[in-house]
Amino acid sequence: MSSKSATEQYTYVRNCKQTTFSSGIPLVDLSKPDAKSLIVNACEEFGFFKVINHCVPMEAISMLESEAMNFFSMPIIEKEKAGPANPFGYGNKSIGNSGDVGWVEYLLLKTNQEHNSSTLSSAFGQNREKFRSVLNEYMCGVRKMGCEILDLMGEGLNIQPKNVFSKLLMDKESDCLFRVNHYPACPKKNENENMIGFGEHTDPQIISLLRSNNTSGLQISLMDGSWISVPPDHSSFFINVGDSLQVMTNGRFRSVRHRVVANGSKSRLSMIYFVGPPLSEKIAPLPSLMKGNESLYKEFTWFEYKNSIYGSRLADNRLGHFERIAAS
């Protein structure tokens, strides 16, 4: 990463209490019959859960992590050949278009590899085909896992057909993204505070499928507004409920607010597969989940939602524009 500019650009947060580290993170074993009910409970209470016994090969995970670290280890002048992010490509410190910054550098790609050709050619040169192959193998595994999780959600909610969510991922027009974030080690300002690597936000998509190396930094916000640190586990995946799924379940599932704090001694690498529906897909509460209740949200297309959040800040309540205001 390039040398940091004025320190006041960055935000610092106080450390989470050590007693909250690892407490209560829902764990779902995808091989067990109770997975669907555990997923529903986790989505209702946390909007977040950890999965084990998934179908993503560890070899594919390790190979992609290695290739990503090779890229981020290159001189800044080489990495910038894949940027600036607009929005795809290499980005450094700046997050979005509204002034948010963090102690992070990243590579944002389409899951459709045809759209990544120029970025990969610029970033990886002669190694681009190797990276493309490794990335394909990883994304195939993650996509399969995502479908399994989304189908378990449908089953757990007693929705027919159960693929009401997974079909949006499998649609050839799905708007899925893949992001690799690298957070270099960042010396602490003091023992009680950490620099923000990626500011608090919710993900706008349906779900996000995340894994990282064994460096801590991810934190989630609970319903009472407190923050807890998520223990890293390089062999497992963490699932975030996104804004779109919150709307589709009429608020039954909650979109989890999360952030990343920079680690004082070790770099952190995370890889996130964002499950987005087709641009023309109408996002609204599913009738089978309404049970006579009124919709909490106005209907919108995924394209409209993406446009509405384009100029927003990370921490904004971006669903607020689409909430129905009860008559007083």
Side-chain angles (χ1 to χ4, degrees), residues 10-13 95 101-104 183 186 194-200 219 259-262 314:
Y10 297 100
T11 304
Y12 291 82
V13 292
I95 303 171
V101 296
W103 190 249
V104 64
Y183 305 91
C186 177
N194 286 93
M195 184 183 287
I196 285 289
F198 208 111
E200 65 174 271
Q219 299 178 347
R259 67 189 182 192
V260 174
V261 296
L314 276 177

Side-chain angles (χ1 to χ4, degrees), residues 43 47-48 150 153 202-208 239-249 253-258 274-275 283 297 302 305 318-319:
C43 291
F48 181 87
L150 290 169
M153 284 182 185
T202 59
D203 295 335
Q205 290 87 357
I206 300 170
I207 58 172
S208 307
I239 314 302
N240 296 341
V241 170
D243 296 343
S244 295
L245 187 56
Q246 178 172 315
V247 172
M248 294 176 77
T249 59
F253 288 0
R254 59 183 294 260
S255 182
V256 64
R257 186 163 287 268
H258 55 288
F274 297 97
V275 177
I283 308 297
Y297 305 95
W302 174 235
Y305 193 49
R318 295 176 288 199
L319 272 180

Side-chain angles (χ1 to χ4, degrees), residues 151-210:
D151 281 346
L152 287 169
M153 284 182 185
E155 285 186 55
L157 290 169
N158 296 313
I159 299 173
Q160 293 295 332
K162 70 175 184 179
N163 72 337
V164 65
F165 301 126
S166 66
K167 69 179 182 181
L168 300 177
L169 167 56
M170 296 309 294
D171 193 303
K172 62 181 173 52
E173 299 296 327
S174 68
D175 185 39
C176 297
L177 307 175
F178 183 71
R179 183 180 183 114
V180 186
N181 289 329
H182 178 237
Y183 305 91
C186 177
K188 290 187 176 185
K189 186 178 180 182
N190 60 60
E191 283 304 309
N192 297 316
E193 292 184 327
N194 286 93
M195 184 183 287
I196 285 289
F198 208 111
E200 65 174 271
H201 64 287
T202 59
D203 295 335
Q205 290 87 357
I206 300 170
I207 58 172
S208 307
L209 310 159
L210 176 149

Side-chain angles (χ1 to χ4, degrees), residues 108-303:
L108 181 63
L109 303 168
K110 283 269 195 181
T111 54
N112 183 335
Q113 290 278 42
E114 294 177 8
H115 295 279
N116 296 327
S117 294
S118 60
T119 297
L120 295 183
S121 295
S122 302
F124 294 91
Q126 294 180 344
N127 290 325
R128 66 183 180 276
E129 289 307 319
K130 180 183 179 183
F131 183 81
R132 183 196 298 271
S133 174
V134 169
L135 181 59
N136 264 336
E137 184 179 0
Y138 178 86
M139 288 200 299
C140 283
V142 171
R143 189 180 297 115
K144 181 180 177 182
M145 177 186 66
C147 282
E148 180 182 3
I149 290 169
L150 290 169
D151 281 346
L152 287 169
M153 284 182 185
E155 285 186 55
L157 290 169
N158 296 313
I159 299 173
Q160 293 295 332
K162 70 175 184 179
N163 72 337
V164 65
F165 301 126
S166 66
K167 69 179 182 181
L168 300 177
L169 167 56
M170 296 309 294
D171 193 303
K172 62 181 173 52
E173 299 296 327
S174 68
D175 185 39
C176 297
L177 307 175
F178 183 71
R179 183 180 183 114
V180 186
N181 289 329
H182 178 237
Y183 305 91
C186 177
K188 290 187 176 185
K189 186 178 180 182
N190 60 60
E191 283 304 309
N192 297 316
E193 292 184 327
N194 286 93
M195 184 183 287
I196 285 289
F198 208 111
E200 65 174 271
H201 64 287
T202 59
D203 295 335
Q205 290 87 357
I206 300 170
I207 58 172
S208 307
L209 310 159
L210 176 149
R211 59 99 27 214
S212 71
N213 62 359
N214 263 338
T215 302
S216 62
L218 177 63
Q219 299 178 347
I220 64 170
S221 177
L222 303 179
M223 292 180 103
D224 63 4
S226 62
W227 290 89
I228 61 171
S229 294
V230 178
D233 182 348
H234 75 285
S235 63
S236 302
F237 279 80
F238 295 94
I239 314 302
N240 296 341
V241 170
D243 296 343
S244 295
L245 187 56
Q246 178 172 315
V247 172
M248 294 176 77
T249 59
N250 204 35
R252 181 170 170 180
F253 288 0
R254 59 183 294 260
S255 182
V256 64
R257 186 163 287 268
H258 55 288
R259 67 189 182 192
V260 174
V261 296
N263 190 286
S265 57
K266 297 187 294 183
S267 67
R268 180 175 186 270
L269 184 85
S270 63
M271 306 186 293
I272 313 105
Y273 190 110
F274 297 97
V275 177
L279 291 174
S280 60
E281 183 69 26
K282 293 180 179 178
I283 308 297
L286 298 173
S288 58
L289 297 179
M290 297 297 289
K291 297 179 181 177
N293 296 322
E294 290 189 15
S295 171
L296 300 177
Y297 305 95
K298 305 169 188 174
E299 182 180 275
F300 53 86
T301 65
W302 174 235
F303 177 78

